[in-house]
Amino acid sequence: MMEQYKNIIQTYHLPQPVYVTRPQMPSLEDYVRKLEVIWQTHWLTNSGPFHTEFEKKLADYLGIKHLNLFVNATIALIVALKSLEIGEGEVITTPFTFPATVHVLWWNRLTPVFCDIEEKTFNIDPEKIESLITPHTKAILPVHVYGNPCDVVAIQEIADRHSLKVIYDAAHVFGVKLNGESILRYGDISALSFHATKLFNTIEGGALICRNNEIKEKIRFLKNFGIAGEETVIGPGINGKMNEFQAAFGLLELELVEREIQDRKRLTEQYRQGLKGIAGICCQEDLPGVTHNYGYFPILVEPTLYGCDRNELYQLLKKCNIYTRKYFYPLCSDYACYSGLPSARPELLPAARRVSSQVLCLPLYGDLDKDVVDVICKVVWNRYKIKL
Ligand code: T4K
């Protein structure tokens, strides 16, 4: 297969590997200054001074009120479901996501019910939700995939009609706004991820955003073993705390994130321009009313128009030292642990199947060289020209 690509590989092979992302990091000097404070105080975790400062500054930056920091988004989502006391039953979610979204249901003894997605945003399709609701349905768990907001209004209307909770997997929407307001204001709870591969990172990390102080307090106990005082445990909890090293990192990242978003925006525009006119390569556009964060750059590869399928393009780019990712392939509904569920039947999820088989996330991060973006676009173009 690669024989016909010899010329492309020879011309465009990059000397250094380029990965789908590269974490933004503060300057080492700045971080060392924070570490010196930790070395003086010996306060390493359990709501230390950096944790307190970061929690407040982060909530201010995001324009929301009630926020709890977490060690990562997965534990945060497990706690979110516990905090709403929805008990056992079914939760409607998307198969087009990272495994964590669905696994947190398993940890809560809840059964996932997979709903198909919208072709345009790759998010759960509100028009398909209602027919999946049964007397056992407890909640909806949508994901704002790649930072594109779900149809939050339609989802809330359905939830209200059927008295369901809404928990957003908001791992990708750091800083995203809808009509000038944070997207994190929607739903009962939203969970952010600050994993190293995210636009905004604290090495590992996450946060829950909820609607009121009562739930915020409940979450605070749940993430700290249920401890309310030296001699008081008010219920079963877990250890979901963010430590001081993560919080200190996060404080410095907050100063850099606006610049990171602007750099990614510029590169996104360059990609869109560079790939324009290639039949069978489809890029996502900005959505009306949305302030995007440019966390990912996904394309869809339609094989009959483009001339080869997504997997072949992935391999070709890899030969050029360009490591793209198939986020999210396979679908969660195809994992052995979930494929036996009635809602996992392939014919019920046609849009998710198509997107999952065609999607490819191209490298995107603030200090990605614009010449590299140019090379990536040229590889995609040159593969297309073989077909012409
Ligand atoms: N919900 C959704 C919708 C999510 O996308 C995620 C996480 C979660 C929930 C759970 O959040 P957390 O519990 O993690 O907070 C990565 C991340 O590990 C994962 O956090 C993320 N989603 C997912 C989309 O991407 P992998 O398996 O692709 O990671 P990995 O290690 O292959 O990294 C990708 C590339 O990034 C590497 O090829 C090189 C680069 N990289 C990675 C790391 C870790 C670096 O340059 N430096 C690094 O330190 O899952």
Side-chain angles (χ1 to χ4, degrees):
M1 177 263 271
M2 285 298 153
E3 193 52 32
Q4 60 171 330
Y5 297 144
K6 241 181 172 167
N7 274 347
I8 300 179
I9 296 165
Q10 264 167 13
T11 314
Y12 295 112
H13 185 271
L14 294 173
Q16 298 295 329
V18 172
Y19 298 108
V20 69
T21 191
R22 202 165 98 109
Q24 157 77 280
M25 293 176 74
S27 83
L28 186 56
E29 295 75 31
D30 287 347
Y31 194 49
V32 167
R33 268 194 287 279
K34 299 275 187 212
L35 294 183
E36 280 165 1
V37 177
I38 296 177
W39 256 253
Q40 278 157 20
T41 60
H42 286 236
W43 200 281
L44 308 185
T45 186
N46 289 8
S47 291
F50 284 139
H51 183 284
T52 308
E53 186 185 347
F54 181 43
E55 202 162 77
K56 171 147 193 353
K57 285 196 170 150
L58 184 60
D60 289 348
Y61 176 84
L62 294 170
I64 41 95
K65 270 202 189 121
H66 308 289
L67 180 148
N68 277 291
L69 293 173
F70 270 84
V71 63
N72 61 50
T74 307
I75 298 286
L77 277 165
I78 289 173
V79 169
L81 289 159
K82 277 278 176 235
S83 72
L84 296 173
E85 293 180 16
I86 57 179
E88 294 182 19
E90 296 171 357
V91 174
I92 297 172
T93 191
T94 168
F96 188 70
T97 184
F98 193 66
T101 315
V102 185
H103 291 340
V104 299
L105 299 175
W106 182 86
W107 283 100
N108 275 280
R109 294 172 182 272
L110 289 156
T111 307
V113 174
F114 294 110
C115 178
D116 207 6
I117 61 171
E118 295 175 331
E119 300 259 347
K120 187 173 168 199
T121 62
F122 311 160
N123 291 329
I124 197 165
D125 185 346
E127 288 187 8
K128 310 252 168 68
I129 293 177
E130 225 154 1
S131 63
L132 298 170
I133 295 174
T134 73
H136 306 293
T137 310
K138 297 290 169 60
I140 308 171
L141 173 49
V143 183
H144 302 293
V145 179
Y146 306 138
N148 289 319
C150 292
D151 189 341
V152 285
V153 174
I155 291 170
Q156 195 57 54
E157 275 170 15
I158 296 167
D160 290 345
R161 256 201 306 279
H162 298 272
S163 304
L164 303 176
K165 299 287 186 195
V166 181
I167 301 102
Y168 279 105
D169 180 333
H172 299 179
V173 278
F174 188 94
V176 170
K177 292 181 184 156
L178 182 61
N179 302 322
E181 300 246 44
S182 172
I183 194 68
L184 303 168
R185 290 168 176 243
Y186 293 89
D188 293 278
I189 300 186
S190 291
L192 286 170
S193 169
F194 311 142
H195 182 264
T197 54
K198 296 288 183 287
L199 158 80
F200 175 90
N201 88 87
T202 60
I203 309 166
E204 294 265 2
L208 287 184
I209 291 84
C210 59
R211 281 186 180 173
N212 58 49
N213 214 39
E214 198 186 322
I215 298 285
K216 180 181 158 149
E217 281 301 287
K218 200 162 173 188
I219 291 170
R220 198 162 65 82
F221 292 125
L222 279 169
K223 77 168 183 184
N224 188 30
F225 317 98
I227 292 175
E230 267 184 51
E231 299 181 6
T232 320
V233 172
I234 57 171
I238 199 167
N239 182 357
K241 292 169 280 120
M242 176 180 275
N243 67 48
E244 287 292 274
F245 296 78
Q246 291 170 285
F249 200 92
L251 278 167
L252 297 172
E253 287 278 300
L254 263 187
E255 293 168 17
L256 306 174
V257 68
E258 275 303 319
R259 170 84 193 274
E260 176 72 16
I261 293 171
Q262 288 318 312
D263 287 345
R264 285 170 183 242
K265 181 177 184 188
R266 202 171 23 79
L267 294 166
T268 297
E269 280 158 5
Q270 190 189 339
Y271 267 131
R272 284 176 182 160
Q273 204 55 36
L275 298 172
K276 213 181 197 160
I278 310 180
I281 296 293
C282 175
C283 307
Q284 288 192 314
E285 295 300 324
D286 285 2
L287 298 167
V290 175
T291 310
H292 287 273
N293 68 5
Y294 306 97
Y296 296 85
F297 191 78
I299 58 168
L300 291 184
V301 184
E302 207 290 303
T304 45
L305 289 171
Y306 179 62
C308 80
D309 66 12
R310 182 271 313 271
N311 293 343
E312 202 167 317
L313 182 59
Y314 166 90
Q315 290 297 345
L316 171 60
L317 287 161
K318 198 167 168 181
K319 288 275 177 215
C320 298
N321 228 359
I322 299 156
Y323 295 84
T324 60
R325 290 301 283 261
K326 302 171 195 176
Y327 296 136
F328 296 102
Y329 174 85
L331 292 174
C332 295
S333 49
D334 285 341
Y335 302 165
C337 48
Y338 304 124
S339 62
L341 292 168
S343 64
R345 292 211 319 269
E347 66 273 21
L348 300 176
L349 305 165
R353 300 202 80 73
R354 184 178 78 84
V355 172
S356 177
S357 69
Q358 296 186 354
V359 73
L360 198 59
C361 285
L362 303 184
L364 183 63
Y365 46 91
D367 61 0
L368 178 62
D369 196 322
K370 65 181 185 6
D371 293 343
V372 170
V373 173
D374 199 38
V375 165
I376 296 170
C377 293
K378 285 193 172 127
V379 173
V380 180
W381 259 111
N382 278 283
R383 170 60 193 86
Y384 176 58
K385 283 182 190 156
I386 293 176
K387 179 181 180 263
L388 298 179

